[in-house]
Amino acid sequence: MGTQSDIKLIDENGLRLDGRSAGDLRPIRIEAGVLERADGSAMIEWGGNKIIVAVYGPREAYPKHNQDINRAIVKARYNMAAFSVDERKRPGPDRRSIEISKVLSEALSAAIMVEQFPRAQIDVFIEVLQADAGTRIAGLTASSVAIADAGIPMRDFVTGCTAGKVDGKVVLDLSKEEDNFGQADLPVAALPKSGKIVLMQMDGDLSVEEFETATSMIMNAIPRINEIQRNALSSRVKVEGGGGE
Ligand code: CDP
């Protein structure tokens, strides 16, 4: 969260810098099967975010001492391209990307039927080409499409969204300015069928009431985002089937 509270992020009509109302999402587009050499893949454009996900596996976990005899291990690797942000990002892992990789691996493990693949590993490479706030949630949302595209059995999708507090008001799906200069950022991901929450982090402060408003805005948005995930997969199936209805 930034310290510059003098920037006005919500106007007198309650509209945000990009013209959205509090509960509006940015435009989201997902395409499945974008990479030929991965077992499964997806591309997501969410606001100004552009992220590609490649999935490999399940394959034998290596080195062997990493194997779990009861289940597959899920290794998500979140990476930001040097050119994805305003100020060149130094290539390679840093504290932030290691933390994000860990929470995304855990969130995906809750959806994948890992118990069907003992000793195996599933790799999920999340490459952020352009970052515009909410990249962990956009990357996670695209990952579950890429995993389904790989034909890996899942209990459900993983669908995420953020909410936060901007100029004292709770709003959905923070833009980059809102993320930088707002007062709180709450990324959440859930399994849409059951509503089970698989990721929740918070940066900044929210009162209990604001937290409840923010989570209910997110839980309302999740079915809308899940529909975009489903459509990405069904149009992929149509293309493979020859493009017909
Ligand atoms: O992307 P996400 O909201 O999940 O994570 P964040 O740590 O809250 O970062 C918010 C935004 O800050 C990112 O989406 C980027 O647009 C930006 N950022 C940046 O400009 N340079 C970095 N090294 C990291 C993040």
Side-chain angles (χ1 to χ4, degrees):
M1 296 297 100
T3 49
Q4 281 168 269
S5 52
D6 50 331
I7 293 181
K8 204 163 160 26
L9 295 163
I10 298 187
D11 73 12
E12 49 289 347
N13 301 317
L15 296 180
R16 298 150 74 180
L17 286 181
D18 55 11
R20 282 184 295 151
S21 317
D24 289 345
L25 290 166
R26 293 176 288 179
I28 303 173
R29 194 180 79 83
I30 306 177
E31 194 179 335
V34 293
L35 301 173
E36 280 182 18
R37 282 184 271 288
D39 294 330
S41 60
M43 158 92 177
I44 187 164
E45 292 176 345
W46 183 326
N49 292 308
K50 289 189 205 291
I51 303 170
I52 288 210
V53 181
V55 172
Y56 294 87
R59 54 191 178 185
E60 190 183 4
Y62 187 83
K64 277 199 166 177
H65 64 79
N66 282 348
Q67 293 183 354
D68 184 325
I69 55 162
N70 296 313
R71 43 160 285 182
I73 49 175
V74 178
K75 277 180 90 173
R77 194 202 64 177
Y78 168 100
N79 181 54
M80 271 184 148
F83 52 81
S84 66
V85 284
D86 288 334
E87 219 168 287
R88 177 182 180 275
K89 165 156 182 328
R90 195 164 168 260
D94 53 18
R95 278 181 63 120
R96 175 176 174 277
S97 67
I98 292 166
E99 174 210 305
I100 294 177
S101 297
K102 180 173 189 296
V103 295
L104 299 193
S105 299
E106 286 169 6
L108 292 169
S109 297
I112 297 171
M113 297 196 168
V114 286
E115 61 287 348
Q116 290 188 10
F117 305 100
R119 301 182 190 277
Q121 172 170 330
I122 296 164
D123 286 295
V124 183
F125 295 97
I126 300 154
E127 297 290 334
V128 179
L129 306 180
Q130 186 168 284
D132 189 34
T135 58
R136 76 193 64 201
I137 283 304
L140 182 57
T141 300
S143 294
S144 73
V145 173
I147 291 164
D149 181 52
I152 297 171
M154 285 194 293
R155 274 172 252 287
D156 199 352
F157 284 89
V158 178
T159 312
C161 194
T162 70
K165 186 174 163 187
V166 166
D167 286 356
K169 203 170 167 202
V170 177
V171 298
L172 188 68
D173 187 18
L174 300 188
S175 68
K176 189 156 176 304
E177 293 78 14
E178 292 170 340
D179 186 296
N180 287 355
F181 305 119
Q183 294 110 44
D185 173 18
L186 177 76
V188 175
L191 310 184
K193 267 193 280 186
S194 62
K196 183 183 168 196
I197 288 176
V198 292
L199 180 148
M200 179 177 274
Q201 299 186 286
M202 188 159 89
D203 188 9
D205 291 315
L206 290 176
S207 68
V208 172
E209 200 179 309
E210 288 164 345
F211 175 80
E212 280 169 2
T213 308
T215 46
S216 74
M217 270 181 163
I218 291 170
M219 295 317 271
N220 267 324
I222 279 178
R224 286 185 267 158
I225 302 164
N226 182 227
E227 200 185 330
I228 302 168
Q229 292 176 300
R230 287 168 185 283
N231 288 342
L233 280 175
S234 55
S235 38
R236 161 81 160 146
V237 170
K238 274 188 211 141
V239 171
E240 288 207 328
E245 279 290 280

